[in-house]
Amino acid sequence: MIGLSKGLLLGCELFLSSIIHMLFGFYIFSTAVAADLSQSLIGLTRPSYTNEETRIRESIYELREGNASSGTKSIPPIVLVHGIFGFGKGRLGGLSYFAGAEKKDEFVLVPDLGSLTSIHDRARELFYYLKGGRVDYGEEHSNIYGHSRFGRIYEKGHYPEWDEDHPVHFVGHSAGAQVVRVLQQMLHDKEFAGYDNTSEDWILSLTGLSGALNGTTRTYFDGMRPEDGRSLKPICLLQLCRLGATIYDWLDIAWLKNYYNFGFDHFHMSWRNTGLSGLADLLLCNTGPFATGDWILPDLTIQGSIKINAGLQTFKNTFYFSYATKMTRRIRGVTVPSSFAGTHPLLLIRVMQMCRWRYPAYLPLPYKGYRDEDWEDNDGALNTISMTHPRIPVEHPSCLVVHDSDCHPLQPGIWYYKILEGDHIFFILNRERAGVQFDLIYDSIFRNCRKHVFRTSHQPTLPNQTPS
């Protein structure tokens, strides 16, 4: 009887979560379509111009763009990297993942990376987005995970001069922060064929906004097995996600994929390549990214993050910032949601569940010193402990910032972090939700990039360490 009651409860939770996620996805998609239709109608009502008037207007536009380009390219670009299920400029019509924050600075880039592809694959895509050329996922990695070595082609990089003398600022939301960390390690290890001069110093600063630096317990609620952190439970939210993404890529409807793309094109899942028998193999998880584990969710488990973090460094010449979010508080020793009304419906159930997360008693602890209570504070998608700075398997130098003036002048090689009240999507998609907080956060991020971050030849002094 107890087992039956528990099963019914889990079934109701899965049904409710599925409905909420589908409604939110439909809302985002329909909002983008409505905005595109509105722009098209406006275009139809604009006055027509003669050929000569059109030529003059285009010349003025090109002149303005050229002046802007020559004026801004003397400063490093700020690259905004989206998280899971995210999108960059050019997808979903004119919708902005960062809710228009890219307009706050003269030189901001917003790449479109695979929304469900692995951290490794997204890091490779980010490199070629900036430098240009055909995306190379690496021969060894591609052979292990069974996909094509090469992906899309960027005829012209968005910042082809990128090198140690022309470094870049990165701002990563959610999994985007970990993507940049992996990219920086790849630059240090010179993993890009044909580029022998790469180094970690190509990155001037990295800012994590609700960054997934140490994994999240939400992955287990969504369906990842805590036993291995890679396989899925037979009935769960992620199984529905897997089925939807598989069918979407198999149908391969061109206009739809131009609008939104999960990023699995290098797995060649289209019906043109696989046929009906291939669809069966994909759905049964015999082939494809979900069979090999080369997608983003395994990278976001605690086990997956430990594996990734074991090979990543915090580099002495790069500035690191982190804005961690939470929607919880403690009342008489119990962690509870801090606001029901202020939490997005998409995240409310998970905020409550993650407060009560307990690592299975029958499993060995994921790392030395693990405590369930450390992972209770969360923002509905990530645990707050995961967002401050890299902690597992080795803790990196960090400094909690209460007042900005306390940490100036800033030093590289240290993770400066703040803890803010807000859920995981508080600072993206909908600017009105965050209100004035939206401007305060992004102004702070861009101010760090433009006014407080610069390279010097002296070695940084780490916390609790005296200068040599």
Side-chain angles (χ1 to χ4, degrees):
M1 183 62 71
I2 295 176
L4 179 61
S5 299
K6 184 178 180 181
L8 288 173
L9 185 63
L10 290 175
C12 290
E13 184 274 325
L14 175 59
F15 176 76
L16 183 59
S17 293
S18 303
I19 293 298
I20 291 174
H21 281 77
M22 284 191 292
L23 288 175
F24 183 70
F26 179 75
Y27 163 74
I28 293 296
F29 191 84
S30 60
T31 299
V33 171
D36 273 3
L37 290 175
S38 176
Q39 289 297 318
S40 298
L41 291 174
I42 291 174
L44 292 175
T45 59
R46 284 176 180 166
S48 59
Y49 299 97
T50 65
N51 291 338
E52 181 63 19
E53 288 173 328
T54 300
R55 186 187 64 78
I56 294 173
R57 288 170 62 84
E58 289 177 349
S59 298
I60 293 173
Y61 175 78
E62 290 172 1
L63 181 62
R64 287 175 177 173
E65 286 293 295
N67 289 339
S69 176
S70 62
T72 57
K73 288 211 173 183
S74 62
I75 60 174
I78 299 173
V79 183
L80 305 182
V81 184
H82 65 75
I84 184 172
F85 289 110
F87 52 93
K89 186 177 181 180
R91 299 288 185 187
L92 286 178
L95 198 63
S96 169
Y97 179 86
F98 289 92
E102 60 269 27
K103 298 176 182 178
K104 284 182 167 290
D105 189 87
E106 296 176 282
F107 195 7
V108 178
L109 301 173
V110 189
D112 179 71
L113 310 176
S115 65
L116 278 182
T117 49
S118 65
I119 298 290
H120 173 280
D121 289 1
R122 295 181 69 196
R124 307 291 291 199
E125 292 166 3
L126 183 53
F127 176 86
Y128 290 98
Y129 167 88
L130 291 169
K131 289 296 288 182
R134 190 174 188 180
V135 175
D136 182 353
Y137 294 105
E139 183 177 8
E140 181 180 1
H141 174 88
S142 302
N143 289 337
I144 291 173
Y145 291 102
H147 60 67
S148 294
R149 175 179 175 179
F150 299 101
R152 67 179 295 180
I153 299 174
Y154 291 98
E155 297 290 351
K156 186 178 186 302
H158 289 76
Y159 192 55
E161 57 266 53
W162 185 32
D163 59 19
E164 190 171 324
D165 296 322
H166 304 86
V168 169
H169 297 287
F170 284 99
V171 179
H173 176 256
S174 190
Q178 192 77 324
V179 169
V180 179
R181 292 192 67 221
V182 170
L183 172 60
Q184 186 172 33
Q185 191 66 49
M186 289 177 175
L187 293 170
H188 170 78
D189 296 337
K190 305 185 187 307
E191 291 190 15
F192 296 96
Y195 295 90
D196 299 327
N197 65 331
T198 64
S199 80
E200 66 277 9
D201 290 341
W202 285 29
I203 296 179
L204 183 53
S205 77
L206 163 58
T207 301
L209 182 58
S210 304
L213 305 175
N214 301 282
T216 171
T217 58
R218 170 161 178 166
T219 56
Y220 309 119
F221 288 108
D222 286 344
M224 300 301 296
R225 291 183 182 273
E227 290 84 354
D228 59 10
R230 296 193 66 78
S231 58
L232 291 176
K233 299 171 185 175
I235 301 176
C236 62
L237 185 63
L238 289 178
Q239 286 285 11
L240 298 178
C241 168
R242 178 184 73 83
L243 294 174
T246 297
I247 294 172
Y248 187 94
D249 262 58
W250 185 82
L251 290 174
D252 194 22
I253 302 173
W255 71 267
L256 202 56
K257 290 187 72 174
N258 285 334
Y259 218 62
Y260 185 83
N261 197 333
F262 290 110
F264 292 129
D265 290 346
H266 52 304
F267 280 90
H268 302 295
M269 296 163 60
S270 168
W271 61 271
R272 296 177 179 86
N273 301 311
T274 63
L276 280 175
S277 61
L279 175 61
D281 283 334
L282 290 167
L283 292 176
L284 292 172
C285 221
N286 295 327
T287 59
F290 304 105
T292 62
D294 193 29
W295 64 302
I296 199 167
L297 262 298
D299 292 339
L300 297 180
T301 62
I302 295 177
Q303 297 98 319
S305 293
I306 290 174
K307 182 178 179 181
I308 292 175
N309 284 348
L312 303 182
Q313 304 174 56
T314 290
F315 293 98
K316 65 180 182 180
N317 291 329
T318 300
F319 293 83
Y320 298 92
F321 309 94
S322 181
Y323 296 83
T325 45
K326 71 172 187 174
M327 283 301 292
T328 53
R329 60 178 175 172
R330 293 185 71 82
I331 299 178
R332 296 184 178 182
V334 179
T335 305
V336 297
S338 57
S339 171
F340 287 92
T343 305
H344 195 282
L346 184 72
L347 302 168
L348 182 56
I349 293 177
R350 289 297 187 256
V351 171
M352 294 186 288
Q353 290 177 318
M354 291 170 71
C355 284
R356 311 313 307 151
W357 162 257
R358 295 294 179 265
Y359 202 79
Y362 61 87
L363 294 177
L365 296 178
Y367 61 89
K368 185 179 179 180
Y370 171 88
R371 301 189 312 163
D372 284 324
E373 53 266 37
D374 292 337
W375 292 78
E376 290 179 353
D377 283 325
N378 69 88
D379 66 1
L382 295 179
N383 312 85
T384 306
I385 190 176
S386 176
M387 295 181 264
T388 59
H389 61 285
R391 295 174 177 265
I392 53 175
V394 176
E395 187 160 4
H396 293 219
S398 65
C399 178
L400 172 63
V401 177
V402 179
H403 303 289
D404 288 345
S405 58
D406 295 342
C407 59
H408 290 157
L410 297 169
Q411 299 178 57
I414 303 171
W415 285 85
Y416 293 97
Y417 69 92
K418 291 182 176 182
I419 299 178
L420 310 170
E421 184 80 6
D423 62 39
H424 195 65
I425 58 175
F426 196 58
F427 297 108
I428 61 170
L429 296 176
N430 187 344
R431 185 174 189 151
E432 283 69 31
R433 278 195 72 218
V436 68
Q437 286 290 334
F438 180 93
D439 293 309
L440 291 174
I441 290 301
Y442 281 104
D443 287 348
S444 172
I445 291 173
F446 289 0
R447 184 167 56 249
N448 282 337
C449 294
R450 295 300 184 220
K451 295 185 177 180
H452 299 304
V453 169
F454 53 90
R455 281 216 173 112
T456 59
S457 59
H458 71 270
Q459 298 296 317
T461 302
L462 302 182
N464 303 320
Q465 183 184 61
T466 56
S468 57

